[in-house]
Amino acid sequence: MLNIDHISFSYGNKQVLKDITFDVAPGEIVAIVGANGAGKTTLLRILSFVLMQDAGNVVLDGVDPLQLPVKYRKWIGYLSERCPLYEEMTVEQFLRYRLRLKGERALRERRRLTVALELCDLEDVKKSEIKLLSQGFKKRIGLADAVMLHPRLILLDDPLASLDIGHRKQIGTALTSLSAHSAVILAGHEISEMLDWCTRFIVLKDGEIEAFYRTGEFDRAELKHILTSAVSARDEEGEL
Amino acid sequence: MRALQQTWFRELWSFRGSFYSGTPVAAFLAVSGWSFVMLLRRDEGGISQLQSVWGCAVAPWLPILCSLLTMRLFAVERSSGMIELLMASPVRERDLVLGKFLSSLTLVALALFCSMIFPVFILPRISEPLRECIQPVAFMATFGILLLQSCAWCAAGTMISVLYSNQAAAAVTSLILCSGMPIVVYFGILVWIPSVRTEMAWMPLLVHVVDFSTGLFSSGVFVFYSVLSVFFLFACSKALALLRLR
């Protein structure tokens, strides 16, 4: 479904991603973990075509974003790390605007909106102005926007940040159901929660893939220990 | 097309009640009204067309209004990070650019229309001799050339706002580009060839306004402003696409 082939990217002289290669199949929920500055956000930005790679290819179901950018972007849903929203709008207005911007037909608009609001538990605040809501709600609005059109590939940058435990579990359940017809790639640091529903972990270190771990091949506690130590070791190195 | 329409309406909606749009429009109406009265006083006893006086009172303030209205279009999206979400959406860059450009142009057109209320609707009621002098077609032609000039200023401002994430920096650069460049070129020519001083007694921009308001239409002027607008809008959509390479 998604083929990432020898991706490299630099900010000026600083190489951020080096030779990243992996595939993602439909139904998979892939977590990208790593210390701060490992390149997780940059990789997701490249996959969402917000940034263009220096070398390598990204192909989603045969579509190369460099050749057919609009078609590729129609097939992805993206939640960025900062989760920007138009704060002066209400939740419903914002999601309706995003649906129309993405070209959804008017007939399906109401149904898409209802499903997304229900999925992200936003029905009670749909008439509220976004600027009055907490960061956790804003994250869920961003998530609703990303999954609203049931895209083939869902890219989520730190989706669990600012969410309470109940909503983290709810998001996990929602992503598991969405993965029935989409592939999900997410970046984050909440390893304990992600172990419950991610099918694969990719550990990034200094812009390179250090290791792949399939959830089914390891005992949960053992995998948690491996991932936590891999990520925290990088953090300590960074601090030194 | 739907993306263009949505961007256009959303931007217009965001202008509604905003300090950043209300204040420049109010200031524009105040200074253009003041300029109009000053020009009327200056020409007292002489012969001049009312629509030309209105056009010349409004035209010098248009670059400033356009710079202030367009400074936020992309600069705010860049500083808030919303630009990432827009660039990851299935929307062509040109639709985003055109939508935002049209929203600012719509507001400028509204401001122009409001500035026309006094000379067209109020002044004839105050002054009996002026009642017969109001020619709606001539006013429409003046409105047309002012709107055409606004197209160029708004397009330039939209392009500049893509280049900055700081809206104040975007406004200053747009002002320099829209107001400063014509003045520099004008005085540059005067210094270089002093003999053209009589021919260029007015700023060329005002000459265009006076020509159109008195029925001297020129396809060259129309093409000039249209090409300028298209060039800036094209550059803007390319600059937006180039943000992916940063």
Side-chain angles (χ1 to χ4, degrees):
Chain A
M1 182 185 190
L2 177 72
N3 308 104
I4 298 158
D5 190 22
H6 301 292
I7 290 284
S8 297
F9 183 81
S10 309
Y11 283 111
N13 293 328
K14 192 191 175 197
Q15 188 149 27
V16 184
L17 291 176
K18 298 166 202 162
D19 203 27
I20 302 287
T21 300
F22 65 94
D23 294 337
V24 181
E28 271 199 291
I29 304 179
V30 179
I32 299 168
V33 295
N36 294 333
K40 304 184 294 290
T41 296
T42 305
L43 179 58
L44 285 181
R45 281 181 178 169
I46 287 172
L47 296 181
S48 60
F49 202 48
V50 170
L51 284 179
M52 210 183 278
Q53 67 272 22
D54 296 336
N57 292 308
V58 176
V59 179
L60 175 63
D61 282 341
V63 172
D64 184 340
L66 299 174
Q67 310 280 336
L68 297 165
V70 177
K71 188 172 183 180
Y72 177 86
R73 282 181 270 168
K74 212 172 182 101
W75 286 353
I76 62 163
Y78 175 57
L79 169 69
S80 86
E81 190 180 17
R82 289 166 67 185
C83 192
L85 305 163
Y86 289 126
E87 306 248 322
E88 72 278 9
M89 287 180 146
T90 65
V91 176
E92 194 176 8
Q93 280 170 343
F94 176 75
L95 293 175
R96 202 178 285 277
Y97 156 73
R98 292 287 298 162
L99 268 175
R100 289 175 182 171
L101 188 77
K102 290 175 181 180
E104 183 57 302
R105 290 179 203 160
L107 283 171
R108 289 187 191 165
E109 210 176 270
R110 184 185 289 268
R111 189 163 57 87
R112 293 278 197 209
L113 198 64
T114 312
V115 171
L117 288 170
E118 195 180 327
L119 190 74
C120 298
D121 195 17
L122 291 167
E123 287 154 310
D124 295 339
V125 294
K126 68 178 181 184
K127 301 284 183 200
S128 307
E129 278 188 37
I130 294 173
K131 65 182 166 205
L132 301 176
L133 299 174
S134 69
Q135 196 55 37
F137 274 109
K138 289 178 184 171
K139 207 78 183 182
R140 276 147 58 198
I141 298 167
L143 190 67
D145 169 45
V147 302
M148 232 171 0
L149 285 181
H150 297 297
R152 296 183 188 197
L153 176 65
I154 300 170
L155 302 161
L156 309 171
D157 197 352
D158 222 352
L160 303 181
S162 324
L163 293 181
D164 56 43
I165 294 169
H167 280 117
R168 285 183 184 189
K169 282 185 180 166
Q170 193 186 359
I171 294 302
T173 314
L175 288 180
T176 309
S177 70
L178 284 166
S179 68
H181 38 74
S182 309
V184 182
I185 301 179
L186 62 121
H189 296 98
E190 297 79 5
I191 289 167
S192 304
E193 283 89 355
M194 291 197 290
L195 274 167
D196 292 337
W197 33 271
C198 286
T199 56
R200 189 157 44 123
F201 283 84
I202 295 173
V203 180
L204 276 187
K205 180 197 168 188
D206 299 330
E208 287 179 289
I209 293 179
E210 192 182 48
F212 289 96
Y213 299 102
R214 284 200 180 276
T215 320
E217 292 170 1
F218 292 86
D219 173 57
R220 186 191 150 93
E222 185 190 359
L223 185 55
K224 185 180 174 184
H225 177 71
I226 294 169
L227 291 169
T228 311
S229 54
V231 172
S232 53
R234 297 289 85 72
D235 277 335
E236 279 160 20
E237 275 174 29
E239 279 168 23
L240 286 171
Chain B
M1 202 62 187
R2 200 164 183 223
L4 187 157
Q5 193 189 32
Q6 283 307 310
T7 313
W8 183 4
F9 291 168
R10 201 218 80 80
E11 288 301 322
L12 266 183
W13 192 83
S14 76
F15 278 139
R16 182 191 58 117
S18 158
F19 171 80
Y20 297 99
S21 55
T23 312
V25 169
F28 167 77
L29 291 175
V31 293
S32 58
W34 173 78
S35 305
F36 180 71
V37 173
M38 289 297 120
L39 285 177
L40 270 186
R41 276 187 175 182
R42 196 195 67 178
D43 292 346
E44 204 172 356
I47 298 170
S48 55
Q49 308 258 9
L50 196 58
Q51 68 274 10
S52 304
V53 176
W54 170 67
C56 291
V58 167
W61 306 110
L62 276 178
I64 301 171
L65 176 69
C66 295
S67 304
L68 293 173
L69 290 180
T70 54
M71 68 180 182
R72 285 169 60 83
L73 291 178
F74 283 102
V76 166
E77 310 278 28
R78 283 190 66 174
S79 62
S80 71
M82 194 67 196
I83 196 84
E84 268 190 37
L85 212 57
L86 292 175
M87 287 170 79
S89 306
V91 184
R92 288 186 181 87
E93 283 85 5
R94 67 159 189 247
D95 289 344
L96 281 179
V97 168
L98 277 176
K100 283 177 179 284
F101 161 77
L102 285 174
S103 67
S104 57
L105 191 65
T106 309
L107 202 61
V108 173
L110 275 173
L112 274 177
F113 182 78
C114 290
S115 74
M116 209 166 62
I117 290 174
F118 181 67
V120 176
F121 301 107
I122 300 174
L123 203 58
R125 289 178 195 279
I126 302 169
S127 165
E128 189 72 30
L130 278 175
R131 203 162 289 169
E132 302 299 316
C133 303
I134 304 292
Q135 295 168 308
V137 178
F139 265 96
M140 287 317 293
T142 316
F143 185 84
I145 182 69
L146 290 172
L147 202 59
L148 204 56
Q149 288 186 342
S150 306
C151 270
W153 309 142
C154 283
T158 310
M159 186 200 73
I160 296 295
S161 75
V162 174
L163 307 177
Y164 291 93
S165 46
N166 181 325
Q167 49 181 307
V172 170
T173 315
S174 301
L175 269 175
I176 292 170
L177 186 70
C178 297
S179 321
M181 287 304 281
I183 293 170
V184 168
V185 170
Y186 174 63
F187 284 108
I189 292 172
L190 283 188
V191 169
W192 187 38
I193 323 170
S195 57
V196 297
R197 194 182 292 268
T198 6
E199 285 76 21
M200 294 179 71
W202 280 7
M203 289 274 294
L205 305 175
L206 294 184
V207 173
H208 297 160
V209 173
V210 173
D211 283 353
F212 270 64
S213 65
T214 50
L216 290 172
F217 299 112
S218 160
S219 56
V221 172
F222 181 80
V223 170
F224 171 70
Y225 287 113
S226 304
V227 167
L228 210 59
S229 308
V230 171
F231 167 76
F232 282 129
L233 291 175
F234 179 75
C236 183
S237 72
K238 288 298 159 197
L240 194 59
L242 282 175
L243 287 181
R244 293 181 205 285
L245 296 177
R246 78 201 139 145

